Amino acid sequence: DAKTTQPTSMDCAEGRAANLPCNHSTISGNEYVYWYRQIHSQGPQYIIHGLKNNETNEMASLIITEDRKSSTLILPHATLRDTAVYYCIVRVATGGSYIPTFGRGTSLIVHP
Amino acid sequence: EAGVVQSPRYKIIEKKQPVAFWCNPISGHNTLYWYLQNLGQGPELLIRYENEEAVDDSQLPKDRFSAERLKGVDSTLKIQPAELGDSAVYLCASSLTTGDGYTFGSGTRLTVV
């Protein structure tokens, strides 16, 4: 089972880019990197996922290193509402039976 | 689309009492998950359903926990009897298939006193 390592906490100034790192050195070739976030008192929310190419959507960008052993989630212009716990997980995209574990994630605090 | 709906939102019970949580997944989502989340921790899988079949329940404490998903739609998770250590948030999630992205409900916060 591929596991991930994330910093326990980070902080960022409002309006600045928030760069959240994740190490997944044992990732397999068919495993994707997924990011979720959990705002206080809510369930986790899907953000983005990728295999090896960088990905961007309306919420964030995902940068995956060439060797796929680490990735960075980028929130380009962080707002106070981005304060949340961010989880990086690796999993097979479809048809797999492996259920990933979330770990403790990174607690991001965006301050004024 | 309503999303994954869970009820109740909060529940406070005395130890040794039974409690049940209900989950209505997104329409058409065949896979349903129940997760347990302790304070400061990430969600931990309790059980996964493919339609009405429980295909992964290895983390479910079967002496006191039970779950069902009749007709492959709604699901209930029950604890009987509840213990103080069961205080946590119980999250339900659903997806089209096992490998797809999850959509989580807001969870049920259980406090056992």
Side-chain angles (χ1 to χ4, degrees):
Chain A
D1 299 349
K3 295 182 179 178
T4 62
T5 304
Q6 299 176 253
T8 302
S9 63
M10 296 182 64
D11 70 287
C12 174
E14 187 177 20
R16 298 282 191 173
N19 299 297
L20 290 83
C22 179
N23 287 320
H24 31 78
S25 58
T26 59
I27 191 170
S28 300
N30 63 343
E31 288 182 314
Y32 285 64
V33 180
Y34 280 75
W35 283 84
Y36 289 79
R37 74 177 183 183
Q38 187 171 26
I39 296 172
H40 182 63
S41 296
Q42 297 182 23
Q45 173 193 24
Y46 166 82
I47 300 174
I48 198 168
H49 75 283
L51 181 63
K52 54 183 179 181
N53 297 322
N54 298 337
E55 301 288 344
T56 295
N57 62 21
E58 65 277 7
M59 293 181 67
S61 294
L62 174 60
I63 308 298
I64 303 174
T65 58
E66 190 171 346
D67 63 7
R68 302 207 324 121
K69 293 184 177 181
S70 65
S71 60
T72 301
L73 179 74
I74 301 173
L75 308 178
H77 306 287
T79 71
L80 298 179
R81 288 175 293 181
D82 292 323
T83 293
V85 177
Y86 288 77
Y87 297 100
C88 166
I89 61 176
V90 293
R91 58 181 296 190
V92 176
T94 58
S97 59
Y98 165 57
I99 303 299
T101 55
F102 278 78
R104 295 191 177 190
T106 296
S107 176
L108 174 69
I109 297 175
V110 181
H111 54 83
Chain B
E1 192 173 80
V4 177
V5 180
Q6 291 188 247
S7 68
R9 189 75 173 87
Y10 302 93
K11 187 73 175 179
I12 301 175
I13 62 170
E14 294 183 343
K15 62 181 180 181
K16 300 185 181 179
Q17 294 301 307
V19 64
F21 315 123
W22 176 80
C23 173
N24 177 235
I26 291 176
S27 178
H29 279 195
N30 298 319
T31 308
L32 184 145
Y33 313 77
W34 282 101
Y35 280 85
L36 163 70
Q37 186 171 27
N38 289 304
L39 185 65
Q41 306 289 324
E44 302 172 29
L45 181 71
L46 288 173
I47 189 168
R48 172 171 65 98
Y49 281 92
E50 293 291 345
N51 298 303
E52 66 273 13
E53 182 182 0
V55 296
D56 185 352
D57 62 356
S58 58
Q59 301 302 313
L60 190 72
K62 299 181 182 59
D63 57 334
R64 298 183 299 107
F65 287 65
S66 64
E68 61 181 11
R69 191 185 184 197
L70 300 177
K71 300 181 181 178
V73 181
D74 294 359
S75 177
T76 56
L77 177 68
K78 299 177 182 178
I79 308 175
Q80 182 171 11
E83 298 178 351
L84 295 176
D86 296 331
S87 295
V89 175
Y90 292 82
L91 293 161
C92 178
S94 70
S95 63
L96 279 172
T97 66
T98 297
D100 290 336
Y102 303 160
T103 300
F104 281 86
S106 295
T108 295
R109 180 176 295 278
L110 173 68
T111 301
V112 182
V113 298

